Amino acid sequence: MRGQFVVVPILALILLFTVPWWTLVLAPDWGTAATVAGTVVFALGLVTMPVAMFRGHARHQDGAARLGDSLLAVIWVLFSWSVLSLVLRVALLGVDDPARSRIVAGVTFAVAAGLLVHGNRVAMRVPPVKATDVVIPRLGPGLDGLRVAVLTDTHYGPIDRTKWSEQVVAAVNALDADVVCHAGDLADGAVAERRKQVDPLGGVQAALGRFYITGNHEYFGEAQAWIDHMEGLGWDTLHNRSTLLERDGDRIVFAGIDDPTGSASGLPGHGPDLAAALADAPADVPVVLLAHQPKQVKQAREAGVALQISGHTHGGQIWPFHLLVRLDQPTLSGLTRHGPTQLYNSRGTGFWGPPFRVFAPSEITLLTLRSA
């Protein structure tokens, strides 16, 4: 069984590099010199990427992380479009090789390069606002129109995005939201390493409350330290607990639970506990639950939660990775219904690892709650 954890990733890595190498270098028969040069480039990538990612994410070397993550995105896009290029290869059956293979290689490279350039711009920009109305049963008229801004998956990490963070805060404040939520995966790394990027969040303004929960990535580092740091920035950390908000005589509960990875973290009191989070919630008041992973909606549905707000999926981040995400999660993005519970799943505000988003744009979410 242990051998599978070694063999399977190695085979996957080889496949990732072999398919685009064959498509772009070997099949087109560019000549000996070009073939050797191209093979050397792919071989160097095959060796460099896993080493850089290990040193970057396991040894916390930011330069290595930036290199490894970028190589991962490049090879994933090249692999995906090399596989899809088989359709073009069939369409060009009337063209003899090597011309056919050269056309396929040129188109594949051009599409991949264009997507990577555009994907980097999309990932690094301040996300657009995605506005959605959500009808909440039993929501009193005093709370009709409550504006909830959602950030999630900011993943402050090896790339210094302090300026971006300040711009995101400005964009959120311009929404004049009543409530602002951060649904987890705040940062990758220790507080000492990432606080410069995170600290602008202390300037977020909200009339009724600012709420934060942990995502799975907090548990790869310093989950409790991040909870403490966000509290120091003035955020209300919903660590398996809830708070009651009131406006014009009507009430609503905002609750939060830990990410499931907290259960295996070894940290006392960490791990999702919805019963504890809702212990003090009045039975006749609608509940908005922050839960990082969409699949936590199963427990939310059983508890009669009105709305769950999640992130985690990034909408797949780099197409077609969404196909793998859907094997684990019930939805990728947007508003869906699960029995009595509605689930809003954000594509995320930032990105993890590779600074690219392909067919999965980031978002700052603005949910407007409406009475029935």
Side-chain angles (χ1 to χ4, degrees):
M1 191 69 176
R2 290 182 179 178
Q4 292 181 352
F5 288 104
V6 176
V7 173
V8 172
I10 290 176
L11 291 178
L13 183 64
I14 292 173
L15 184 65
L16 272 176
F17 279 85
T18 299
V19 172
W21 168 72
W22 182 84
T23 302
L24 301 177
V25 177
L26 194 62
D29 189 18
W30 300 110
T32 302
T35 300
V36 169
T39 301
V40 169
V41 169
F42 274 92
L44 285 173
L46 176 63
V47 174
T48 302
M49 189 190 82
V51 172
M53 292 194 70
F54 174 78
R55 294 178 69 89
H57 295 287
R59 300 289 178 83
H60 306 289
Q61 298 176 5
D62 285 351
R66 291 192 292 268
L67 174 61
D69 292 342
S70 296
L71 287 174
L72 175 61
V74 170
I75 199 60
W76 174 253
V77 172
L78 286 174
F79 169 81
S80 301
W81 289 90
S82 292
V83 172
L84 287 173
S85 73
L86 294 174
V87 176
L88 179 58
R89 187 173 293 276
V90 171
L92 295 174
L93 281 176
V95 181
D96 293 333
D97 274 325
R100 179 172 62 152
S101 293
R102 290 177 179 177
I103 293 171
V104 169
V107 171
T108 301
F109 181 82
V111 169
L115 288 175
L116 287 166
V117 170
H118 179 69
N120 178 254
R121 291 176 179 172
V122 170
M124 298 298 290
R125 71 183 178 181
V126 174
V129 174
K130 184 178 180 183
T132 302
D133 284 5
V134 184
V135 176
I136 303 293
R138 297 183 293 137
L139 185 71
L143 289 166
D144 183 70
L146 187 79
R147 294 159 64 84
V148 181
V150 180
L151 304 175
T152 185
D153 300 282
T154 43
H155 286 282
Y156 295 111
I159 299 174
D160 186 353
R161 286 180 288 148
T162 303
K163 185 64 176 178
W164 178 88
S165 186
E166 295 169 351
Q167 293 171 337
V168 166
V169 169
V172 170
N173 288 343
L175 297 176
D176 193 25
D178 301 294
V179 174
V180 179
C181 304
H182 194 300
D185 280 4
L186 174 67
D188 294 305
V191 173
E193 296 171 324
R194 310 302 182 210
R195 66 178 300 163
K196 177 187 173 186
Q197 299 179 59
V198 172
D199 283 359
L201 295 180
V204 167
Q205 299 170 9
L208 297 180
R210 302 179 297 174
F211 304 118
Y212 162 71
I213 60 166
T214 57
N216 56 308
H217 278 248
E218 278 86 342
Y219 291 103
F220 299 155
E222 301 179 338
Q224 186 59 54
W226 279 117
I227 289 174
D228 296 341
H229 189 70
M230 288 296 279
E231 286 179 347
L233 293 177
W235 287 67
D236 194 353
T237 56
L238 298 181
H239 174 37
N240 291 325
R241 66 180 188 86
S242 64
T243 188
L244 187 65
L245 302 183
E246 183 173 347
R247 189 175 76 178
D248 296 337
D250 290 307
R251 301 183 298 170
I252 188 170
V253 168
F254 274 77
I257 54 176
D258 296 345
D259 186 81
T261 53
S263 300
S265 67
L267 295 173
H270 284 259
D273 190 341
L274 186 55
L278 299 181
D280 297 326
D284 60 338
V285 175
V287 174
V288 175
L289 175 69
L290 303 184
H292 182 63
Q293 298 196 37
K295 65 184 178 183
Q296 293 176 276
V297 75
K298 179 180 179 181
Q299 290 74 39
R301 181 180 65 234
E302 294 169 353
V305 166
L307 173 65
Q308 175 176 312
I309 297 173
S310 299
H312 186 64
T313 67
H314 300 202
Q317 187 164 324
I318 301 178
W319 187 92
F321 195 76
H322 69 287
L323 298 175
L324 298 179
V325 176
R326 283 292 282 117
L327 296 177
D328 184 52
Q329 300 293 337
T331 183
L332 283 171
S333 64
L335 187 65
T336 54
R337 177 171 289 278
H338 304 261
T341 302
Q342 295 181 85
L343 166 65
Y344 187 85
N345 189 38
S346 169
R347 289 189 298 255
T349 314
F351 55 85
W352 173 84
F356 300 91
R357 278 182 170 269
V358 177
F359 302 143
S362 53
E363 64 181 77
I364 295 171
T365 312
L366 181 63
L367 303 178
T368 302
L369 307 189
R370 299 294 184 185
S371 54

